Each structure stands twice: as structure tokens, then as C-alpha cells.
């Protein structure tokens, strides 16, 4: 039995607290235009944004379309009179400053970094993700960072993972594992190129038809145990 020597690690809601970052950024952006971001506006945005990212994973919307549609639809549904393009630009600037780590993520990275080569695999806007990585001070843990906007395709597209595999040092797939919180993005993508996968599911409730990870972990400790005990 040998350890996994390379980990392809998802970032949002696996390492960085995207849900909080999203709420803070939307609140700050709307406030800058004199608009209060109440609970209804925030929940509406969350729902619309989540749906559009799923559409992006399916290839039914482009990244450029997603960037503006989420704000156009939120403003329309909440009956807010504001230019969507101006709001999305302000929101993007605010989000790029949000490097909020999930509880225990720093300690997890410190430990994992000692046992494996880490590569970040993340769907997102390059400018935003690079800013958040810098704020969180996590670049030092990664041999490489693969942002979908830079790669040209995103998770779960097989081409994204093929590109990542072409760049990592390890060439033996049996020693590479994908870790992430999304069945339809991280796990589906990893499976598409024949990699072992760990679903990070704190709630132990995630399911998706036909997408079955090799492992499910509900804590960072469980992930570490899986990676070290192959």
C-alpha cells in the first residue's frame, strides 16, 4: 500500500469559505451604491448564482454570460434599480479581497503539505481567485494553481482535468487523488479521467445520480487519513 503523492484540491467550500465571502462582497457592493442588502436580496443572489454555476458546469452558459446574468436576474427579481454591469464590477473587486478560510483549513493544509504535492483546481474568475489566494496566504502550499478562466474550460470538463494532469509532476494516476465538496464538479471531473476521488461532505447528505466518489469524508482529519493510508 502506498500513499497518494499528489492531491488535486478544490478551493471554494473545501478550503476557502466562499459562502461567507459571497455574502460580505455582495453586501459591500450594494452598500457602495446606497442599497441595503437584506436577507431576501442575499438569498436570491445565492440561489441564482448557484444555478448559473451549475449551468456553467453543464456548458449551457459561458463564464462571461454568468458574470452579468447573476446580477441582472437578482436586480430584476428584487426590483432594484441599478446597472448590473457596475454592480458586478464592484462585487468582483470586493470578492477578490475575501480570503476567508474555513475552520481548520490552515491546519489541514499545513499537514497535507508535508505528505503530498498539492495543486489547486478551481472554477472561477482569475482576478478574483488570485486575489483571494493572496489574502488567505495559501499560494505557498501549492505546486500549481489551475483556475478555469485561465485553462479555458472548467470542472467537470474532462479537458480541464486532462490539462491539469499534463502539468503535474506525478504521472502515475494511482498516486493522484481529487478532493472537493462538489459531486457534479470535482468528483465527476476526477472520475472522467480515471482518478480516485474524495467527496468532502460535512453534512453527509450529498447525492447525485451516477456520481459515486471512491471515498466520502466529513472532516479534514478523515481526508488526511484516507490520503495517508492507501
Amino acid at each position: 500500500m502506498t500513499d497518494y503523492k499528489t492531491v488535486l484540491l478544490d478551493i471554494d467550500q473545501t478550503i476557502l469559505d466562499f459562502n461567507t465571502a459571497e455574502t460580505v462582497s455582495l453586501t459591500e457592493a450594494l452598500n457602495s451604491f446606497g442599497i441595503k442588502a437584506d436577507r431576501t436580496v442575499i438569498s436570491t443572489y445565492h440561489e441564482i448564482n448557484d444555478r448559473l454555476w451549475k449551468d456553467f458546469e453543464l456548458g449551457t452558459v459561458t463564464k462571461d454570460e454568468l458574470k452579468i446574468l447573476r446580477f441582472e436576474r437578482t436586480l430584476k427579481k428584487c426590483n432594484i434599480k441599478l446597472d448590473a454591469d457596475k454592480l458586478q464590477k464592484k462585487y468582483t473587486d470586493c470578492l477578490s479581497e475575501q480570503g476567508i478560510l474555513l475552520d481548520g483549513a490552515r491546519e489541514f493544509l499545513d499537514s497535507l503539505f508535508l505528505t503530498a504535492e498539492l495543486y489547486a483546481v478551481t472554477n472561477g474568475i482569475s482576478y478574483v481567485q488570485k486575489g483571494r489566494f493572496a489574502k488567505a496566504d495559501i499560494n505557498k502550499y501549492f505546486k500549481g494553481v489551475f483556475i478555469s478562466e485561465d485553462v479555458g474550460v472548467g470542472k467537470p470538463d474532462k479537458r480541464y482535468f486532462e490539462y491539469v494532469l499534463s502539468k503535474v509532476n506525478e504521472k502515475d494516476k494511482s498516486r493522484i487523488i481529487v478532493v472537493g465538496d462538489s459531486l457534479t464538479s470535482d468528483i465527476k471531473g476526477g472520475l472522467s479521467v480515471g482518478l480516485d476521488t474524495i467527496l468532502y461532505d460535512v453534512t453527509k447528505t450529498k447525492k447525485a445520480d451516477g456520481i459515486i466518489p471512491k471515498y466520502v469524508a466529513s472532516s479534514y482529519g478523515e481526508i488526511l487519513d484516507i490520503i495517508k493510508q492507501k
Side-chain angles (χ1 to χ4, degrees), residues 168-188:
V168 303
N169 292 325
E170 180 62 63
K171 298 307 175 186
D172 181 352
K173 285 186 179 182
S174 72
R175 297 167 74 87
I176 304 173
I177 195 162
V178 178
V179 180
D181 72 304
S182 171
L183 281 162
T184 56
S185 177
D186 308 306
I187 307 307
K188 182 179 180 180

Side-chain angles (χ1 to χ4, degrees), residues 4-193:
Y4 291 103
K5 292 301 183 184
T6 293
V7 178
L8 308 185
L9 188 61
D10 172 57
I11 298 302
D12 286 318
Q13 292 308 120
T14 300
I15 298 299
L16 293 182
D17 186 342
F18 183 75
N19 292 341
T20 299
E22 191 176 60
T23 297
V24 170
S25 299
L26 182 60
T27 300
E28 289 181 355
L30 285 169
N31 285 348
S32 73
F33 293 103
I35 298 169
K36 182 179 179 180
D38 59 25
R39 190 172 300 174
T40 299
V41 174
I42 291 170
S43 63
T44 298
Y45 175 81
H46 281 319
E47 291 172 10
I48 290 171
N49 190 46
D50 288 348
R51 194 177 309 125
L52 282 167
W53 276 108
K54 293 298 182 187
D55 290 342
F56 174 75
E57 291 174 10
L58 294 170
T60 56
V61 298
T62 66
K63 184 71 63 64
D64 286 340
E65 289 171 335
L66 179 154
K67 287 179 186 178
I68 192 68
L69 278 174
R70 55 189 177 175
F71 293 106
E72 288 179 345
R73 293 176 181 178
T74 298
L75 293 171
K76 182 177 181 180
K77 190 167 184 178
C78 295
N79 196 30
I80 296 172
K81 306 298 183 183
L82 183 64
D83 183 89
D85 187 55
K86 290 182 179 179
L87 178 58
Q88 80 88 12
K89 287 177 180 176
K90 183 62 178 179
Y91 169 84
T92 298
D93 285 341
C94 292
L95 187 59
S96 70
E97 297 290 317
Q98 300 299 321
I100 307 165
L101 286 159
L102 292 168
D103 289 343
R106 175 77 64 193
E107 294 78 7
F108 170 65
L109 288 171
D110 284 338
S111 181
L112 189 56
F113 177 73
L114 297 176
T115 65
E117 285 193 348
L118 309 185
Y119 295 85
V121 289
T122 178
N123 281 346
I125 298 166
S126 182
Y127 161 69
V128 170
Q129 295 301 73
K130 288 176 181 176
R132 295 173 68 223
F133 271 60
K135 282 290 181 180
D137 189 28
I138 58 173
N139 282 301
K140 61 190 177 185
Y141 296 106
F142 297 102
K143 285 282 187 179
V145 175
F146 300 97
I147 303 170
S148 60
E149 189 170 66
D150 294 336
V151 175
V153 288
K155 302 179 295 183
D157 196 304
K158 183 177 181 180
R159 293 170 295 173
Y160 174 90
F161 284 91
E162 288 175 337
Y163 177 83
V164 173
L165 288 175
S166 75
K167 299 296 183 181
V168 303
N169 292 325
E170 180 62 63
K171 298 307 175 186
D172 181 352
K173 285 186 179 182
S174 72
R175 297 167 74 87
I176 304 173
I177 195 162
V178 178
V179 180
D181 72 304
S182 171
L183 281 162
T184 56
S185 177
D186 308 306
I187 307 307
K188 182 179 180 180
L191 293 173
S192 75
V193 290

